[in-house]
């Protein structure tokens, strides 16, 4: 597929998917919002998705062979977790973790 | 509400969105070869923080459009449940409703659900739409500024893509704080582990999401059957 056509289609697809998630309750959930399975998914699916995203992208960002054994990504991740638990400031945790990771990768 | 008081109300979002939008913009220009102005255009038509950051890695991986669609739906699935508490406030908003629904980000949601409301519904809906518009303006500004800086100022951005991992870690911690249950995290981790072991890189995300959804369905089935058998009340 042509490069700029792919980009345009990509943006359109992302925009439609994002809008659909926001419009869903207004379109049909107003009547089924109390179905226990919807509530179950609504409660637990976001947590599962966040966790699987962390695992997938963390596995791709580290060097798992000797001598690092993943420490190049695991240490910044630990920093993010500690900062988030301590200060509850998402931006601070993200920026500090990312700068640490960048520092390690650029040595 | 006057424009000034709306500006004051949305000020915390300004401080959050401009740096986060800039992070997205820098990420966009450092990872991809597209023109810098595509980043603010994405801020205009998509308007999703985590979604747009994920979009960068999907674009870099040249992901199939179907995978993009499913990944975006899954990542934004929390938004499905935002609208439920705003059904009443938005009803009868006419053409404004489209924009209100489109702009229902985490931050807009928290502002709209926590602010004081008068009985003049139409006036309040106008205010809701303006709050959404102000928030989106900050976001687009951040995206544009970051992308422009990233494309003009040359610096070593190796490793900046870790912002994505950090963002998901933060969101996962916040999720745990909200639900206080470990099961969904084990479900997510197991789904990811399975997908990474069995599938090629391009299909791992969808694979993991499908496994996790299936596991939650089984978990739901098991807990409801147990409840029916024991006549137990649902708890937690």
């Amino acid at each position: 597929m042509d490069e700029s056509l792919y980009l345009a289609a990509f943006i359109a697809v992302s925009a439609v998917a994002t809008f659909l998630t926001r419009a869903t309750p207004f379109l049909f959930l107003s009547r089924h919002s109390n179905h226990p399975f919807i509530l179950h998914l609504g409660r637990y699916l976001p947590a599962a998705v966040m966790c699987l995203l962390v695992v997938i992208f963390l596995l791709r960002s580290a060097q798992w062979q000797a001598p690092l054994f993943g420490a190049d990504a695991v240490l910044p991740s630990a920093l993010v977790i500690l900062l988030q638990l301590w200060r509850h400031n998402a931006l601070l945790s993200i920026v500090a973790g990312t700068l640490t990771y960048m520092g390690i990768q650029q040595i | 509400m006057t424009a000034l008081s709306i500006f004051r109300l949305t000020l915390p979002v300004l401080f959050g969105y401009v740096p986060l939008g800039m992070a997205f913009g820098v990420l966009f220009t450092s990872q991809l070869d597209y023109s810098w102005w595509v980043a603010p255009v994405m801020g205009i038509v998509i308007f999703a923080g985590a979604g747009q950051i994920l979009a960068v890695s999907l674009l870099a991986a040249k992901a199939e459009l179907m995978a993009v669609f499913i990944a975006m739906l899954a990542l934004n699935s929390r938004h499905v449940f935002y609208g439920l508490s705003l059904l009443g406030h938005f009803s009868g908003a006419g053409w404004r409703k489209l924009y209100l629904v489109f702009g229902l980000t985490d931050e807009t949601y928290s502002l709209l659900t926590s602010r004081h409301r008068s009985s003049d519904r139409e006036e309040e809906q106008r205010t809701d739409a303006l709050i959404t518009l102000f928030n989106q303006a900050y976001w687009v500004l951040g995206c544009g500024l970051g992308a422009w800086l990233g494309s003009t100022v040359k610096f070593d951005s190796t490793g900046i893509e870790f912002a994505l991992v950090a963002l998901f870690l933060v969101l996962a911690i916040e999720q745990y704080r909200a639900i206080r249950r470990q099961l969904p995290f084990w479900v997510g981790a197991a789904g990811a582990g399975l997908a990474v072991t069995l599938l090629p890189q391009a299909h791992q995300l969808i694979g993991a999401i499908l496994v996790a959804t299936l596991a939650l369905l089984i978990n739901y089935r098991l807990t409801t059957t147990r409840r029916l058998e024991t006549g137990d009340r649902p708890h937690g």
Side-chain angles (χ1 to χ4, degrees), chain B:
Chain B
M1 257 192 191
T2 62
L4 186 64
S5 45
I6 291 176
F7 177 66
R8 241 183 250 139
L9 181 76
T10 54
L11 209 56
V13 179
L14 171 71
F15 293 135
Y17 270 7
V18 169
L20 191 65
M22 285 180 70
F24 160 75
V26 170
L27 189 68
F28 184 88
T29 43
S30 64
Q31 303 284 303
L32 305 166
D33 284 330
Y34 301 115
S35 320
W36 70 270
W37 53 262
V38 174
V41 167
M42 286 172 77
I44 293 172
V45 301
I46 304 174
F47 190 25
Q52 282 177 230
I53 293 176
L54 175 67
V56 174
S57 52
L58 292 174
L59 270 175
K62 296 263 177 300
E64 308 152 42
L65 293 178
M66 200 53 190
V68 174
F69 186 73
I70 294 175
M72 287 288 170
L73 277 187
L75 180 66
N76 290 321
S77 59
R78 65 188 188 285
H79 288 151
V80 168
F81 302 90
Y82 286 180
L84 291 176
S85 44
L86 289 163
L87 286 170
H89 292 321
F90 287 0
S91 82
W95 60 271
R96 282 202 188 102
K97 191 166 172 177
L98 258 182
Y99 183 64
L100 285 168
V101 171
F102 161 80
L104 204 51
T105 61
D106 305 58
E107 289 74 10
T108 307
Y109 171 77
S110 42
L111 283 186
L112 296 192
T113 48
S114 59
R115 73 187 193 86
H116 180 74
R117 286 170 185 274
S118 71
S119 56
D120 185 347
R121 177 177 284 186
E122 196 180 335
E123 175 61 25
E124 293 303 332
Q125 286 169 347
R126 200 184 73 94
T127 304
D128 285 343
L130 280 177
I131 291 173
T132 310
L133 188 65
F134 273 58
N135 287 350
Q136 190 176 13
Y138 308 147
W139 176 248
V140 174
L141 180 75
C143 293
L145 214 58
W148 181 74
L149 279 176
S151 65
T152 46
V153 185
K154 282 292 152 227
F155 63 98
D156 188 352
S157 60
T158 307
I160 197 170
E161 70 282 358
F162 189 77
L164 187 70
V165 178
L167 173 75
F168 295 142
L169 269 171
V170 165
L171 292 175
I173 292 171
E174 292 311 310
Q175 282 293 331
Y176 182 72
R177 249 206 266 280
I179 61 174
R180 297 272 164 201
R181 284 275 308 270
Q182 288 188 9
L183 180 86
F185 295 91
W186 292 117
V187 162
L194 208 63
V196 169
T197 326
L198 298 178
L199 298 172
Q201 193 154 322
H203 305 301
Q204 286 169 0
L205 191 57
I206 315 177
I209 291 168
L210 288 177
V211 170
T213 312
L214 199 66
L216 285 178
L217 176 65
I218 294 169
N219 164 248
Y220 168 77
R221 280 283 174 204
L222 287 177
T223 46
T224 42
T225 340
R226 210 178 305 144
R227 251 175 240 148
L228 286 178
E229 280 167 0
T230 58
D232 205 3
R233 294 257 123 228
H235 38 103

Side-chain angles (χ1 to χ4, degrees), chain A residues 22-39:
Chain A
R22 292 175 186 167
T24 301
F26 299 94
L27 291 177
F28 11 69
L29 271 185
S30 49
R31 249 181 301 149
H32 301 284
S33 57
N34 288 324
H35 189 284
F37 181 57
I38 298 282
L39 294 176

Side-chain angles (χ1 to χ4, degrees), chain A residues 12-105:
Chain A
V13 163
S14 306
V16 168
T18 305
F19 182 76
L20 273 182
T21 55
R22 292 175 186 167
T24 301
F26 299 94
L27 291 177
F28 11 69
L29 271 185
S30 49
R31 249 181 301 149
H32 301 284
S33 57
N34 288 324
H35 189 284
F37 181 57
I38 298 282
L39 294 176
H40 186 81
L41 271 192
R43 250 179 119 192
Y44 300 127
L45 186 61
V49 169
M50 289 312 142
C51 191
L52 68 85
L53 286 169
V54 167
V55 173
I56 289 181
F57 286 104
L58 190 63
L59 285 175
R60 289 179 194 173
S61 8
Q63 270 182 3
W64 295 100
Q65 297 86 10
L68 288 175
F69 299 110
D72 55 333
V74 171
L75 287 179
S77 302
L79 179 70
V80 172
I81 295 171
L82 287 176
L83 275 176
Q84 184 61 20
L85 291 176
W86 178 39
R87 301 305 305 247
H88 301 246
N89 182 334
L91 197 69
L92 175 75
S93 318
I94 293 170
V95 169
T98 306
L99 287 179
T100 309
Y101 181 81
M102 289 173 75
I104 294 174
Q105 297 296 326

